[in-house]
């Protein structure tokens, strides 16, 4: 099974809506599913606004834009995934919830379909074990926002087949991405390195080393990062950062990954970052 024509995306949040847009712009038929009707409507509006913006900036002709929108289908029923060639899952970063979803997908999708997870940190091997097709389960980790960021990190589980890897890699390259390949250890490559830095920035804020602005300016101008770690955490979502740190802490068994109490407190308070209008910084509501 090499020709991907139809993709199912599960989760219409920040990542899923961007992945669905990317796939449709690159000629694939897309089913985007979210269990929350409001999230599905928000994803539809978000993608439509982005495509109209691409048209107005002449990055896409009106006809191509219309075709792209015509290739997108929105649903709340998993049964609509019966004919997709690949599923890209982008739901909440919880191992139990992802395993349940993959078990359901295994029962609904055609036997040849690849089941990919956009997980930031959770074991692909364990997600795959919830299905009867571990050779066809893989990590396909996009960066945020998926239409813009050039990287896809592909994660092979213990049983991922070469064919699954090759088809997934080709798909990422068709999207114009550069692929890196990681073995299946908590956090893979990017978050293994990024999350301890973000956590340390929270510790610096928590222990009064400096203001949030100075921490971010220090890392921007001092290390040439395009954005400081606290602002980046807001863009990723503080709940997502906390979930990833918990996976790193549990999976790698080292206290250096223990989430900073300030990060936990922000999440408890509902300060989830840019998507909620308030995190470390405040943002105009979307
Ligand atoms: P989000 O919170 O923006 O969106 C998650 C969406 O999934 C929500 O719309 C929710 O309604 C939906 N959902 C939750 N459980 C569901 C289920 N069982 N069935 C169907 N829909 C369900 O989260 P975000 O940021 O898009 O992250 C999604 C995944 O992508 C996570 O695994 C995260 O670790 C990963 N990721 C996140 C990045 C980021 O910068 N936020 C970057 C790369 C990966």
């Amino acid at each position: 099974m090499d020709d991907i024509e139809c993709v199912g995306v599960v989760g219409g949040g920040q990542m899923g809506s961007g992945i669905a847009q990317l796939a449709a712009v690159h000629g694939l038929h897309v089913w985007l599913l979210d269990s929350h009707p409001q999230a599905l409507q928000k994803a539809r509006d978000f993608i439509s606004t982005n495509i109209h913006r691409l048209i107005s900036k002449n990055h896409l002709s009106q006809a191509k834009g219309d075709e792209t929108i015509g290739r997108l289908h929105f649903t709340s029923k998993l049964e609509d995934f019966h004919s997709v060639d690949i599923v890209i899952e982008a739901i909440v970063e919880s191992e139990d919830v992802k395993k349940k979803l993959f078990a359901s997908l295994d029962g609904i999708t055609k036997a040849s379909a690849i089941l990919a997870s956009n997980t930031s940190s959770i074991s692909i091997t364990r997600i795959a074990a919830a299905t009867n097709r571990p050779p066809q389960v893989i990590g396909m980790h996009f960066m945020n926002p998926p239409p813009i960021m050039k990287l896809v990190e592909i994660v092979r589980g213990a049983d991922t087949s070469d064919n699954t890897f090759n088809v997934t890699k080709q798909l990422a390259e068709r999207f114009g991405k550069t692929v890196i390949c990681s073995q299946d250890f908590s956090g893979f490559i990017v978050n293994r390195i990024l999350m301890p830095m973000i956590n340390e920035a929270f510790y610096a804020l928590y222990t009064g080393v400096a203001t949030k602005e100075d921490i971010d300016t220090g890392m921007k101008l001092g290390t040439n990062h395009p954005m400081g770690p606290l602002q980046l955490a807001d863009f990723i979502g503080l709940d997502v950062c906390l979930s990833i740190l918990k996976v790193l802490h549990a999976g790698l068994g080292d206290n250096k990954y223990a989430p900073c109490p300030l990060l936990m407190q922000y999440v408890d308070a509902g300060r989830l970052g840019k998507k909620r209008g308030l995190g470390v910084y405040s943002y105009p509501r979307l």
Side-chain angles (χ1 to χ4, degrees), residues 12-199:
Q14 303 194 90
M15 296 303 293
S17 53
I19 294 166
Q21 175 189 322
L22 187 67
V25 165
H26 285 85
L28 297 176
H29 290 276
V30 180
W31 284 93
L32 176 58
L33 179 147
D34 200 290
S35 50
H36 293 89
Q38 275 179 332
L40 202 57
Q41 186 56 44
K42 200 172 162 192
R44 187 194 290 266
D45 295 345
F46 175 81
I47 297 172
S48 168
T49 305
N50 285 348
I51 290 179
H52 285 108
R53 192 175 297 137
L54 291 174
I55 294 169
S56 69
K57 290 186 171 171
N58 290 326
H59 295 314
L60 215 54
S61 69
Q62 183 68 51
K64 291 265 180 226
D66 291 344
E67 281 168 28
T68 301
I69 287 174
R71 283 193 289 270
L72 281 156
H73 312 280
F74 297 84
T75 184
S76 55
K77 294 196 304 278
L78 219 48
E79 290 72 26
D80 285 329
F81 280 25
H82 61 88
S83 63
V84 303
D85 302 313
I86 184 170
V87 175
I88 304 174
E89 165 276 315
I91 64 167
V92 61
E93 185 74 345
S94 153
E95 183 171 325
D96 287 346
V97 183
K98 286 191 195 290
K99 278 182 178 165
K100 272 193 202 119
L101 174 67
F102 273 70
S104 305
L105 287 168
D106 190 31
I108 283 166
T109 53
K110 61 188 183 189
S112 58
I114 290 175
L115 305 181
S117 175
N118 183 50
T119 178
S120 303
S121 57
I122 296 169
S123 164
I124 297 302
T125 306
R126 287 206 296 270
I127 294 174
T131 74
N132 292 311
R133 58 177 98 179
Q136 288 157 247
V137 178
I138 194 160
M140 189 178 193
H141 181 213
F142 290 82
M143 306 295 128
N144 185 9
I148 309 272
M149 297 292 281
K150 290 284 170 228
L151 186 73
V152 170
E153 183 176 42
I154 293 187
V155 185
R156 295 186 73 143
D159 294 316
T160 305
S161 71
D162 288 344
N163 185 59
T164 298
F165 175 76
N166 290 334
V167 172
T168 307
K169 183 169 182 279
Q170 275 164 21
L171 183 64
E173 287 169 351
R174 180 171 166 189
F175 292 162
K177 307 301 185 192
T178 297
V179 167
I180 56 171
C181 182
S182 172
Q183 295 303 314
D184 189 21
F185 293 105
S186 305
F188 318 130
I189 301 170
V190 173
N191 283 314
R192 172 81 175 257
I193 297 166
L194 173 64
M195 285 301 149
M197 184 185 75
I198 285 178
N199 202 35

